[in-house]
Amino acid sequence: MVIRIAAVGDVHLDQDVVGRFRPALEQLPDVADVLLLAGDLTRHGTESEARCVATEFGNLGVPVVAVLGNHDHHCDEVPAVIRVLEDAGIQVLEGTNVVLDCFGTRLGIAGAKGFGGGFAGRCASAFGEPEMKAFVGTTSAIADQLGEALREMECDLRVALTHYAPVPDTLAGEPLEIYPFLGSYLLGQAIDSAPTDLALHGHAHAGSERGTTPGGVRVRNVAHPVIKQAYSVFHLHPRRAGASAGKVSASSAPGRS
């Protein structure tokens, strides 16, 4: 059984963007079994912008699962943003998970926003000033929650959904100076702590689409400026006995935004 996962991030919705994605989204039930949103759903994280997201991504005929991004936190209205999204049937994950029944195949999705810190050999450490310890401690706590959420699921296929990047591969094209603010190797370690089949993230608008964790998990940057379409669709094939990971293939979305 092939499970079809549509995904996009960094749509940055407000009133002037509503309707841009909807024509392609109307075709979702024909091409995908679930839609994953990789954060930065709004421009500034206001309740009114969240209503735009609810209008655009609600009532699509497939389950919709999301994480928030840094833009969605900017105005400190996160509880209101989540309430509006969940009232529209969009499930928001933060260090949590959900297992969906896709035609008898259990698809597990664990999600967290993530945070920065950098990557092995060029990363921040929890040393020195309290501010630096707090910065790294935030990423560490989020990564721990993501790892636990991945490991505790009983499922046939396992997907990690974050906003920040878990590997540097998908940041290629961004200035090296800002890598520490685009993701953290700790997220990659969390993903590798479970038999994860696919990891999806956004945030890196000038990054690259494909990467791999040190443990061999396929990573895809689905930020809208990277994929340049309403969503990408990934085909996940359940693991065979003794296999280390399910097979992943991708197809283009039926329409561009």
Side-chain angles (χ1 to χ4, degrees):
M1 181 68 190
V2 177
I3 303 302
R4 304 166 302 171
I5 299 173
V8 66
D10 302 83
V11 292
H12 297 287
L13 284 182
D14 202 346
Q15 286 288 349
D16 61 326
V17 187
V18 173
R20 174 185 296 177
F21 298 88
R22 196 69 191 193
L25 292 170
E26 296 288 358
Q27 303 177 54
L28 262 180
D30 297 327
V31 299
D33 304 307
V34 61
L35 172 64
L36 305 186
L37 301 176
D40 275 6
L41 311 179
T42 65
R43 281 188 183 152
H44 302 101
T46 66
E47 184 175 355
S48 62
E49 290 171 350
R51 293 195 191 99
C52 297
V53 178
T55 297
E56 194 82 346
F57 291 95
N59 302 310
L60 294 178
V62 301
V64 181
V65 180
V67 296
L68 300 185
N70 55 305
H71 279 246
D72 305 316
H73 280 254
H74 179 66
C75 283
D76 298 324
E77 298 182 20
V78 168
V81 168
I82 292 175
R83 183 180 65 251
V84 169
L85 297 181
E86 294 196 333
D87 284 349
I90 300 169
Q91 183 160 359
V92 181
L93 303 178
E94 182 52 56
T96 54
N97 58 44
V98 61
V99 177
L100 304 176
D101 184 351
C102 296
F103 310 103
T105 297
R106 298 169 300 172
L107 173 64
I109 304 158
K113 173 177 63 67
F115 202 54
F119 300 90
R122 295 176 176 84
C123 59
S125 62
F127 181 87
E129 301 94 326
E131 294 83 359
M132 182 59 73
K133 293 174 184 174
F135 177 69
V136 176
T138 297
T139 303
S140 180
I142 293 173
D144 288 346
Q145 292 170 358
L146 176 64
E148 183 176 356
L150 283 164
R151 294 188 298 272
E152 71 182 13
M153 289 189 292
E154 295 184 5
C155 55
D156 303 305
L157 289 167
R158 187 176 274 101
V159 175
L161 177 64
T162 62
H163 180 60
Y164 284 77
V167 295
D169 308 23
T170 48
L171 304 184
E174 295 279 6
L176 287 172
E177 292 84 355
I178 67 170
Y179 274 32
F181 307 106
L182 296 177
S184 169
Y185 77 97
L186 295 174
L187 298 172
Q189 287 185 345
I191 290 165
D192 282 340
S193 74
T196 307
D197 297 284
L198 177 65
L200 302 171
H201 75 87
H203 195 37
H205 292 196
S208 302
E209 191 169 356
R210 294 170 177 265
T212 309
T213 68
V217 177
R218 294 170 179 86
V219 180
R220 298 294 182 264
N221 178 358
V222 295
H224 178 252
V226 172
I227 64 174
K228 295 180 172 61
Q229 55 188 359
Y231 49 84
S232 291
V233 179
F234 303 93
H235 295 169
L236 278 186
H237 305 255
R239 302 162 183 266
R240 298 186 302 273
S244 59
K247 181 182 177 183
V248 179
S249 58
S251 61
S252 296
R256 294 184 178 269
S257 60

